[in-house]
mmCIF file of all heavy atoms in Angstrom:
data_model
loop_
_atom_site.group_PDB
_atom_site.id
_atom_site.type_symbol
_atom_site.label_atom_id
_atom_site.label_comp_id
_atom_site.label_asym_id
_atom_site.label_seq_id
_atom_site.Cartn_x
_atom_site.Cartn_y
_atom_site.Cartn_z
ATOM 1 N N LEU A 271 -20.638 1.651 13.693
ATOM 2 C CA LEU A 271 -20.445 0.849 12.524
ATOM 3 C C LEU A 271 -21.389 1.302 11.400
ATOM 4 O O LEU A 271 -21.140 1.168 10.242
ATOM 5 C CB LEU A 271 -20.614 -0.674 12.884
ATOM 6 C CG LEU A 271 -19.456 -1.574 12.408
ATOM 7 C CD1 LEU A 271 -18.203 -1.158 13.213
ATOM 8 C CD2 LEU A 271 -19.741 -2.988 12.641
ATOM 9 N N GLY A 272 -22.556 1.640 11.790
ATOM 10 C CA GLY A 272 -23.560 2.035 10.821
ATOM 11 C C GLY A 272 -23.125 3.296 10.045
ATOM 12 O O GLY A 272 -23.541 3.578 8.917
ATOM 13 N N THR A 273 -22.326 4.237 10.685
ATOM 14 C CA THR A 273 -21.940 5.390 10.003
ATOM 15 C C THR A 273 -20.514 5.362 9.601
ATOM 16 O O THR A 273 -20.114 5.247 8.389
ATOM 17 C CB THR A 273 -22.171 6.492 10.944
ATOM 18 O OG1 THR A 273 -21.619 6.363 12.329
ATOM 19 C CG2 THR A 273 -23.603 6.821 11.188
ATOM 20 N N ALA A 274 -19.556 5.338 10.588
ATOM 21 C CA ALA A 274 -18.188 5.203 10.217
ATOM 22 C C ALA A 274 -17.852 3.937 9.454
ATOM 23 O O ALA A 274 -16.944 3.900 8.601
ATOM 24 C CB ALA A 274 -17.255 5.349 11.433
ATOM 25 N N GLY A 275 -18.473 2.892 9.867
ATOM 26 C CA GLY A 275 -18.243 1.570 9.201
ATOM 27 C C GLY A 275 -18.599 1.527 7.702
ATOM 28 O O GLY A 275 -17.900 0.910 6.959
ATOM 29 N N SER A 276 -19.661 2.346 7.343
ATOM 30 C CA SER A 276 -20.053 2.482 5.867
ATOM 31 C C SER A 276 -18.865 3.249 5.160
ATOM 32 O O SER A 276 -18.527 2.818 4.035
ATOM 33 C CB SER A 276 -21.276 3.266 5.825
ATOM 34 O OG SER A 276 -22.386 2.632 6.363
ATOM 35 N N ALA A 277 -18.313 4.210 5.756
ATOM 36 C CA ALA A 277 -17.228 5.013 5.162
ATOM 37 C C ALA A 277 -16.037 4.055 4.993
ATOM 38 O O ALA A 277 -15.311 4.071 4.039
ATOM 39 C CB ALA A 277 -16.857 6.209 6.012
ATOM 40 N N VAL A 278 -15.784 3.253 5.998
ATOM 41 C CA VAL A 278 -14.619 2.324 5.896
ATOM 42 C C VAL A 278 -14.823 1.364 4.765
ATOM 43 O O VAL A 278 -13.839 0.983 3.937
ATOM 44 C CB VAL A 278 -14.508 1.605 7.302
ATOM 45 C CG1 VAL A 278 -13.559 0.330 7.032
ATOM 46 C CG2 VAL A 278 -13.960 2.500 8.291
ATOM 47 N N VAL A 279 -15.976 0.797 4.571
ATOM 48 C CA VAL A 279 -16.294 -0.141 3.501
ATOM 49 C C VAL A 279 -16.011 0.473 2.079
ATOM 50 O O VAL A 279 -15.335 -0.068 1.338
ATOM 51 C CB VAL A 279 -17.813 -0.611 3.641
ATOM 52 C CG1 VAL A 279 -18.055 -1.401 2.256
ATOM 53 C CG2 VAL A 279 -17.974 -1.538 4.768
ATOM 54 N N PHE A 280 -16.521 1.593 1.978
ATOM 55 C CA PHE A 280 -16.263 2.294 0.569
ATOM 56 C C PHE A 280 -14.855 2.801 0.468
ATOM 57 O O PHE A 280 -14.359 2.859 -0.675
ATOM 58 C CB PHE A 280 -17.252 3.411 0.348
ATOM 59 C CG PHE A 280 -18.598 2.913 -0.065
ATOM 60 C CD1 PHE A 280 -19.526 2.589 0.848
ATOM 61 C CD2 PHE A 280 -18.842 2.616 -1.374
ATOM 62 C CE1 PHE A 280 -20.773 2.047 0.428
ATOM 63 C CE2 PHE A 280 -20.072 2.184 -1.796
ATOM 64 C CZ PHE A 280 -21.012 1.820 -0.897
ATOM 65 N N ALA A 281 -14.268 3.321 1.501
ATOM 66 C CA ALA A 281 -12.783 3.609 1.381
ATOM 67 C C ALA A 281 -11.964 2.387 1.133
ATOM 68 O O ALA A 281 -11.047 2.498 0.210
ATOM 69 C CB ALA A 281 -12.363 4.223 2.743
ATOM 70 N N GLY A 282 -12.282 1.300 1.706
ATOM 71 C CA GLY A 282 -11.510 0.010 1.484
ATOM 72 C C GLY A 282 -11.828 -0.412 -0.047
ATOM 73 O O GLY A 282 -10.852 -0.888 -0.718
ATOM 74 N N LEU A 283 -13.077 -0.263 -0.507
ATOM 75 C CA LEU A 283 -13.357 -0.686 -1.857
ATOM 76 C C LEU A 283 -12.502 0.132 -2.913
ATOM 77 O O LEU A 283 -12.029 -0.440 -3.872
ATOM 78 C CB LEU A 283 -14.832 -0.476 -2.162
ATOM 79 C CG LEU A 283 -15.660 -1.643 -1.667
ATOM 80 C CD1 LEU A 283 -17.156 -1.276 -1.907
ATOM 81 C CD2 LEU A 283 -15.410 -2.906 -2.281
ATOM 82 N N THR A 284 -12.306 1.499 -2.699
ATOM 83 C CA THR A 284 -11.544 2.263 -3.552
ATOM 84 C C THR A 284 -10.135 1.736 -3.576
ATOM 85 O O THR A 284 -9.472 1.721 -4.688
ATOM 86 C CB THR A 284 -11.613 3.681 -3.248
ATOM 87 O OG1 THR A 284 -11.170 3.871 -1.856
ATOM 88 C CG2 THR A 284 -12.978 4.283 -3.399
ATOM 89 N N VAL A 285 -9.553 1.421 -2.385
ATOM 90 C CA VAL A 285 -8.206 0.927 -2.406
ATOM 91 C C VAL A 285 -8.139 -0.340 -3.111
ATOM 92 O O VAL A 285 -7.143 -0.623 -3.896
ATOM 93 C CB VAL A 285 -7.723 0.773 -0.952
ATOM 94 C CG1 VAL A 285 -6.188 0.322 -0.902
ATOM 95 C CG2 VAL A 285 -7.788 2.163 -0.185
ATOM 96 N N ILE A 286 -9.012 -1.223 -2.877
ATOM 97 C CA ILE A 286 -9.008 -2.541 -3.513
ATOM 98 C C ILE A 286 -9.148 -2.407 -5.055
ATOM 99 O O ILE A 286 -8.379 -3.115 -5.738
ATOM 100 C CB ILE A 286 -10.144 -3.461 -2.892
ATOM 101 C CG1 ILE A 286 -9.818 -3.710 -1.451
ATOM 102 C CG2 ILE A 286 -10.417 -4.748 -3.729
ATOM 103 C CD1 ILE A 286 -10.983 -4.362 -0.736
ATOM 104 N N VAL A 287 -10.058 -1.502 -5.471
ATOM 105 C CA VAL A 287 -10.160 -1.285 -6.946
ATOM 106 C C VAL A 287 -8.816 -0.767 -7.494
ATOM 107 O O VAL A 287 -8.381 -1.331 -8.629
ATOM 108 C CB VAL A 287 -11.262 -0.349 -7.128
ATOM 109 C CG1 VAL A 287 -11.308 0.181 -8.645
ATOM 110 C CG2 VAL A 287 -12.559 -0.947 -6.925
ATOM 111 N N ALA A 288 -8.218 0.130 -6.902
ATOM 112 C CA ALA A 288 -6.977 0.690 -7.405
ATOM 113 C C ALA A 288 -5.882 -0.399 -7.409
ATOM 114 O O ALA A 288 -5.151 -0.473 -8.442
ATOM 115 C CB ALA A 288 -6.525 1.916 -6.527
ATOM 116 N N LEU A 289 -5.772 -1.195 -6.405
ATOM 117 C CA LEU A 289 -4.742 -2.213 -6.397
ATOM 118 C C LEU A 289 -4.994 -3.342 -7.381
ATOM 119 O O LEU A 289 -4.118 -3.871 -8.008
ATOM 120 C CB LEU A 289 -4.526 -2.717 -4.935
ATOM 121 C CG LEU A 289 -3.939 -1.693 -4.044
ATOM 122 C CD1 LEU A 289 -4.049 -2.124 -2.573
ATOM 123 C CD2 LEU A 289 -2.479 -1.290 -4.344
ATOM 124 N N SER A 290 -6.272 -3.780 -7.415
ATOM 125 C CA SER A 290 -6.598 -4.859 -8.385
ATOM 126 C C SER A 290 -6.416 -4.419 -9.748
ATOM 127 O O SER A 290 -6.186 -5.370 -10.621
ATOM 128 C CB SER A 290 -8.004 -5.230 -8.066
ATOM 129 O OG SER A 290 -8.210 -5.726 -6.807
ATOM 130 N N GLY A 291 -6.502 -3.189 -10.057
ATOM 131 C CA GLY A 291 -6.307 -2.669 -11.347
ATOM 132 C C GLY A 291 -4.876 -2.857 -11.878
ATOM 133 O O GLY A 291 -4.673 -2.826 -13.115
ATOM 134 N N LEU A 292 -3.970 -3.218 -10.995
ATOM 135 C CA LEU A 292 -2.607 -3.541 -11.548
ATOM 136 C C LEU A 292 -2.517 -4.782 -12.427
ATOM 137 O O LEU A 292 -1.596 -4.986 -13.093
ATOM 138 C CB LEU A 292 -1.638 -3.684 -10.337
ATOM 139 C CG LEU A 292 -1.378 -2.468 -9.486
ATOM 140 C CD1 LEU A 292 -0.611 -2.774 -8.196
ATOM 141 C CD2 LEU A 292 -0.588 -1.385 -10.313
ATOM 142 N N THR A 293 -3.544 -5.573 -12.369
ATOM 143 C CA THR A 293 -3.559 -6.799 -13.168
ATOM 144 C C THR A 293 -3.707 -6.438 -14.690
ATOM 145 O O THR A 293 -3.364 -7.266 -15.517
ATOM 146 C CB THR A 293 -4.902 -7.682 -12.792
ATOM 147 O OG1 THR A 293 -6.081 -6.904 -12.900
ATOM 148 C CG2 THR A 293 -4.744 -8.128 -11.308
ATOM 149 N N VAL A 294 -4.267 -5.218 -15.030
ATOM 150 C CA VAL A 294 -4.294 -4.881 -16.371
ATOM 151 C C VAL A 294 -2.971 -4.552 -17.032
ATOM 152 O O VAL A 294 -2.929 -4.641 -18.317
ATOM 153 C CB VAL A 294 -5.318 -3.631 -16.618
ATOM 154 C CG1 VAL A 294 -6.713 -3.935 -16.017
ATOM 155 C CG2 VAL A 294 -4.688 -2.399 -15.985
ATOM 156 N N ILE A 295 -1.950 -4.497 -16.324
ATOM 157 C CA ILE A 295 -0.645 -4.190 -16.877
ATOM 158 C C ILE A 295 -0.096 -5.329 -17.623
ATOM 159 O O ILE A 295 0.624 -5.221 -18.655
ATOM 160 C CB ILE A 295 0.294 -3.671 -15.756
ATOM 161 C CG1 ILE A 295 -0.268 -2.596 -14.933
ATOM 162 C CG2 ILE A 295 1.703 -3.251 -16.374
ATOM 163 C CD1 ILE A 295 -0.681 -1.391 -15.732
ATOM 164 N N GLY A 296 -0.381 -6.566 -17.196
ATOM 165 C CA GLY A 296 0.051 -7.723 -17.862
ATOM 166 C C GLY A 296 1.405 -8.280 -17.400
ATOM 167 O O GLY A 296 2.137 -8.953 -18.166
ATOM 168 N N ILE A 297 1.876 -7.753 -16.205
ATOM 169 C CA ILE A 297 3.234 -8.142 -15.690
ATOM 170 C C ILE A 297 2.930 -8.995 -14.451
ATOM 171 O O ILE A 297 2.298 -8.477 -13.485
ATOM 172 C CB ILE A 297 4.107 -7.046 -15.387
ATOM 173 C CG1 ILE A 297 4.357 -6.297 -16.683
ATOM 174 C CG2 ILE A 297 5.435 -7.466 -14.686
ATOM 175 C CD1 ILE A 297 5.202 -5.007 -16.541
ATOM 176 N N GLY A 298 3.357 -10.296 -14.447
ATOM 177 C CA GLY A 298 3.039 -11.177 -13.371
ATOM 178 C C GLY A 298 3.448 -10.664 -11.971
ATOM 179 O O GLY A 298 2.581 -10.726 -11.051
ATOM 180 N N THR A 299 4.579 -10.128 -11.845
ATOM 181 C CA THR A 299 5.062 -9.715 -10.513
ATOM 182 C C THR A 299 4.181 -8.573 -10.079
ATOM 183 O O THR A 299 3.755 -8.446 -8.925
ATOM 184 C CB THR A 299 6.468 -9.270 -10.622
ATOM 185 O OG1 THR A 299 7.346 -10.307 -11.089
ATOM 186 C CG2 THR A 299 7.021 -8.721 -9.311
ATOM 187 N N LEU A 300 3.884 -7.646 -10.933
ATOM 188 C CA LEU A 300 3.045 -6.492 -10.523
ATOM 189 C C LEU A 300 1.545 -6.974 -10.170
ATOM 190 O O LEU A 300 0.982 -6.461 -9.297
ATOM 191 C CB LEU A 300 2.984 -5.496 -11.690
ATOM 192 C CG LEU A 300 2.735 -4.065 -11.349
ATOM 193 C CD1 LEU A 300 3.805 -3.523 -10.294
ATOM 194 C CD2 LEU A 300 2.877 -3.194 -12.511
ATOM 195 N N THR A 301 1.140 -7.912 -10.919
ATOM 196 C CA THR A 301 -0.278 -8.475 -10.662
ATOM 197 C C THR A 301 -0.232 -9.079 -9.271
ATOM 198 O O THR A 301 -1.292 -8.823 -8.440
ATOM 199 C CB THR A 301 -0.677 -9.570 -11.665
ATOM 200 O OG1 THR A 301 -0.705 -8.886 -12.984
ATOM 201 C CG2 THR A 301 -1.989 -10.174 -11.360
ATOM 202 N N ALA A 302 0.753 -9.888 -8.928
ATOM 203 C CA ALA A 302 0.843 -10.542 -7.605
ATOM 204 C C ALA A 302 0.939 -9.506 -6.499
ATOM 205 O O ALA A 302 0.283 -9.645 -5.458
ATOM 206 C CB ALA A 302 2.106 -11.393 -7.507
ATOM 207 N N MET A 303 1.727 -8.396 -6.742
ATOM 208 C CA MET A 303 1.900 -7.372 -5.732
ATOM 209 C C MET A 303 0.476 -6.691 -5.433
ATOM 210 O O MET A 303 0.080 -6.396 -4.356
ATOM 211 C CB MET A 303 2.888 -6.406 -6.079
ATOM 212 C CG MET A 303 4.241 -6.926 -6.131
ATOM 213 S SD MET A 303 5.518 -5.713 -6.851
ATOM 214 C CE MET A 303 5.518 -4.415 -5.620
ATOM 215 N N GLY A 304 -0.275 -6.367 -6.541
ATOM 216 C CA GLY A 304 -1.450 -5.733 -6.481
ATOM 217 C C GLY A 304 -2.567 -6.548 -5.805
ATOM 218 O O GLY A 304 -3.281 -6.062 -4.907
ATOM 219 N N LEU A 305 -2.695 -7.751 -6.156
ATOM 220 C CA LEU A 305 -3.651 -8.658 -5.513
ATOM 221 C C LEU A 305 -3.429 -8.969 -4.102
ATOM 222 O O LEU A 305 -4.316 -9.054 -3.330
ATOM 223 C CB LEU A 305 -3.811 -9.958 -6.386
ATOM 224 C CG LEU A 305 -4.328 -9.816 -7.790
ATOM 225 C CD1 LEU A 305 -4.379 -11.200 -8.500
ATOM 226 C CD2 LEU A 305 -5.781 -9.167 -7.787
ATOM 227 N N ALA A 306 -2.094 -9.207 -3.706
ATOM 228 C CA ALA A 306 -1.747 -9.449 -2.393
ATOM 229 C C ALA A 306 -2.059 -8.263 -1.547
ATOM 230 O O ALA A 306 -2.592 -8.394 -0.430
ATOM 231 C CB ALA A 306 -0.200 -9.814 -2.299
ATOM 232 N N SER A 307 -1.736 -7.070 -1.973
ATOM 233 C CA SER A 307 -2.036 -5.809 -1.189
ATOM 234 C C SER A 307 -3.466 -5.584 -1.120
ATOM 235 O O SER A 307 -4.061 -5.143 -0.078
ATOM 236 C CB SER A 307 -1.323 -4.647 -1.896
ATOM 237 O OG SER A 307 0.041 -4.826 -2.020
ATOM 238 N N ALA A 308 -4.282 -5.815 -2.225
ATOM 239 C CA ALA A 308 -5.714 -5.652 -2.072
ATOM 240 C C ALA A 308 -6.377 -6.656 -1.138
ATOM 241 O O ALA A 308 -7.253 -6.307 -0.397
ATOM 242 C CB ALA A 308 -6.267 -5.923 -3.539
ATOM 243 N N PHE A 309 -5.745 -7.841 -1.078
ATOM 244 C CA PHE A 309 -6.257 -8.786 -0.094
ATOM 245 C C PHE A 309 -6.044 -8.341 1.326
ATOM 246 O O PHE A 309 -6.870 -8.397 2.224
ATOM 247 C CB PHE A 309 -5.622 -10.165 -0.328
ATOM 248 C CG PHE A 309 -6.022 -11.251 0.643
ATOM 249 C CD1 PHE A 309 -7.281 -11.826 0.580
ATOM 250 C CD2 PHE A 309 -5.211 -11.528 1.755
ATOM 251 C CE1 PHE A 309 -7.606 -12.831 1.485
ATOM 252 C CE2 PHE A 309 -5.554 -12.546 2.609
ATOM 253 C CZ PHE A 309 -6.750 -13.177 2.502
ATOM 254 N N ALA A 310 -4.885 -7.718 1.527
ATOM 255 C CA ALA A 310 -4.531 -7.160 2.882
ATOM 256 C C ALA A 310 -5.439 -6.181 3.267
ATOM 257 O O ALA A 310 -5.840 -6.025 4.468
ATOM 258 C CB ALA A 310 -3.064 -6.718 2.885
ATOM 259 N N VAL A 311 -5.854 -5.236 2.301
ATOM 260 C CA VAL A 311 -6.834 -4.163 2.557
ATOM 261 C C VAL A 311 -8.225 -4.791 2.917
ATOM 262 O O VAL A 311 -8.881 -4.299 3.755
ATOM 263 C CB VAL A 311 -6.870 -3.297 1.441
ATOM 264 C CG1 VAL A 311 -7.948 -2.165 1.677
ATOM 265 C CG2 VAL A 311 -5.504 -2.528 1.239
ATOM 266 N N ALA A 312 -8.541 -5.818 2.172
ATOM 267 C CA ALA A 312 -9.863 -6.441 2.378
ATOM 268 C C ALA A 312 -9.874 -7.031 3.787
ATOM 269 O O ALA A 312 -10.968 -6.944 4.525
ATOM 270 C CB ALA A 312 -10.110 -7.525 1.334
ATOM 271 N N VAL A 313 -8.830 -7.703 4.234
ATOM 272 C CA VAL A 313 -8.710 -8.309 5.532
ATOM 273 C C VAL A 313 -8.829 -7.031 6.603
ATOM 274 O O VAL A 313 -9.483 -7.258 7.610
ATOM 275 C CB VAL A 313 -7.423 -8.985 5.755
ATOM 276 C CG1 VAL A 313 -7.251 -9.473 7.194
ATOM 277 C CG2 VAL A 313 -7.491 -10.336 4.928
ATOM 278 N N ALA A 314 -8.233 -5.978 6.328
ATOM 279 C CA ALA A 314 -8.293 -4.856 7.229
ATOM 280 C C ALA A 314 -9.716 -4.387 7.404
ATOM 281 O O ALA A 314 -10.215 -4.065 8.546
ATOM 282 C CB ALA A 314 -7.412 -3.675 6.770
ATOM 283 N N VAL A 315 -10.509 -4.270 6.337
ATOM 284 C CA VAL A 315 -11.914 -3.863 6.373
ATOM 285 C C VAL A 315 -12.696 -4.863 7.199
ATOM 286 O O VAL A 315 -13.497 -4.587 8.113
ATOM 287 C CB VAL A 315 -12.483 -3.699 5.011
ATOM 288 C CG1 VAL A 315 -13.944 -3.514 5.028
ATOM 289 C CG2 VAL A 315 -11.784 -2.636 4.221
ATOM 290 N N ILE A 316 -12.538 -6.186 6.886
ATOM 291 C CA ILE A 316 -13.258 -7.249 7.696
ATOM 292 C C ILE A 316 -12.978 -7.245 9.167
ATOM 293 O O ILE A 316 -13.809 -7.345 10.068
ATOM 294 C CB ILE A 316 -12.995 -8.580 7.041
ATOM 295 C CG1 ILE A 316 -13.515 -8.660 5.618
ATOM 296 C CG2 ILE A 316 -13.642 -9.733 7.842
ATOM 297 C CD1 ILE A 316 -13.051 -9.814 4.819
ATOM 298 N N ILE A 317 -11.719 -6.990 9.464
ATOM 299 C CA ILE A 317 -11.303 -6.937 10.917
ATOM 300 C C ILE A 317 -11.948 -5.805 11.465
ATOM 301 O O ILE A 317 -12.482 -5.912 12.695
ATOM 302 C CB ILE A 317 -9.683 -6.841 10.945
ATOM 303 C CG1 ILE A 317 -9.007 -8.114 10.656
ATOM 304 C CG2 ILE A 317 -9.344 -6.313 12.289
ATOM 305 C CD1 ILE A 317 -8.909 -9.058 11.855
ATOM 306 N N ALA A 318 -12.023 -4.605 10.836
ATOM 307 C CA ALA A 318 -12.601 -3.463 11.391
ATOM 308 C C ALA A 318 -14.114 -3.630 11.645
ATOM 309 O O ALA A 318 -14.665 -3.042 12.577
ATOM 310 C CB ALA A 318 -12.331 -2.247 10.560
ATOM 311 N N LEU A 319 -14.771 -4.427 10.810
ATOM 312 C CA LEU A 319 -16.185 -4.583 10.997
ATOM 313 C C LEU A 319 -16.677 -5.797 11.812
ATOM 314 O O LEU A 319 -17.777 -5.816 12.185
ATOM 315 C CB LEU A 319 -16.810 -4.839 9.567
ATOM 316 C CG LEU A 319 -16.541 -3.716 8.518
ATOM 317 C CD1 LEU A 319 -17.266 -4.088 7.155
ATOM 318 C CD2 LEU A 319 -17.155 -2.367 9.058
ATOM 319 N N THR A 320 -15.716 -6.675 12.138
ATOM 320 C CA THR A 320 -16.136 -7.828 13.055
ATOM 321 C C THR A 320 -15.314 -7.890 14.321
ATOM 322 O O THR A 320 -15.922 -7.818 15.421
ATOM 323 C CB THR A 320 -15.916 -9.080 12.154
ATOM 324 O OG1 THR A 320 -14.580 -9.201 11.668
ATOM 325 C CG2 THR A 320 -16.866 -9.146 11.091
ATOM 326 N N LEU A 321 -14.008 -7.951 14.219
ATOM 327 C CA LEU A 321 -13.178 -8.133 15.414
ATOM 328 C C LEU A 321 -13.177 -6.870 16.235
ATOM 329 O O LEU A 321 -13.150 -6.883 17.550
ATOM 330 C CB LEU A 321 -11.757 -8.531 14.963
ATOM 331 C CG LEU A 321 -10.808 -8.773 16.228
ATOM 332 C CD1 LEU A 321 -11.344 -9.893 17.080
ATOM 333 C CD2 LEU A 321 -9.407 -9.055 15.674
ATOM 334 N N LEU A 322 -13.053 -5.692 15.606
ATOM 335 C CA LEU A 322 -13.031 -4.416 16.339
ATOM 336 C C LEU A 322 -14.274 -4.191 17.251
ATOM 337 O O LEU A 322 -14.091 -3.961 18.544
ATOM 338 C CB LEU A 322 -12.823 -3.285 15.457
ATOM 339 C CG LEU A 322 -12.704 -1.900 16.137
ATOM 340 C CD1 LEU A 322 -11.523 -1.863 17.106
ATOM 341 C CD2 LEU A 322 -12.547 -0.766 15.078
#
Side-chain angles (χ1 to χ4, degrees):
L271 233 66
T273 50
S276 299
V278 165
V279 169
F280 278 91
L283 279 176
T284 56
V285 182
I286 292 170
V287 165
L289 293 171
S290 300
L292 291 172
T293 57
V294 305
I295 308 301
I297 297 176
T299 300
L300 208 56
T301 297
M303 292 172 68
L305 292 179
S307 302
F309 178 76
V311 173
V313 170
V315 173
I316 296 171
I317 286 274
L319 299 181
T320 56
L321 182 60
L322 181 60

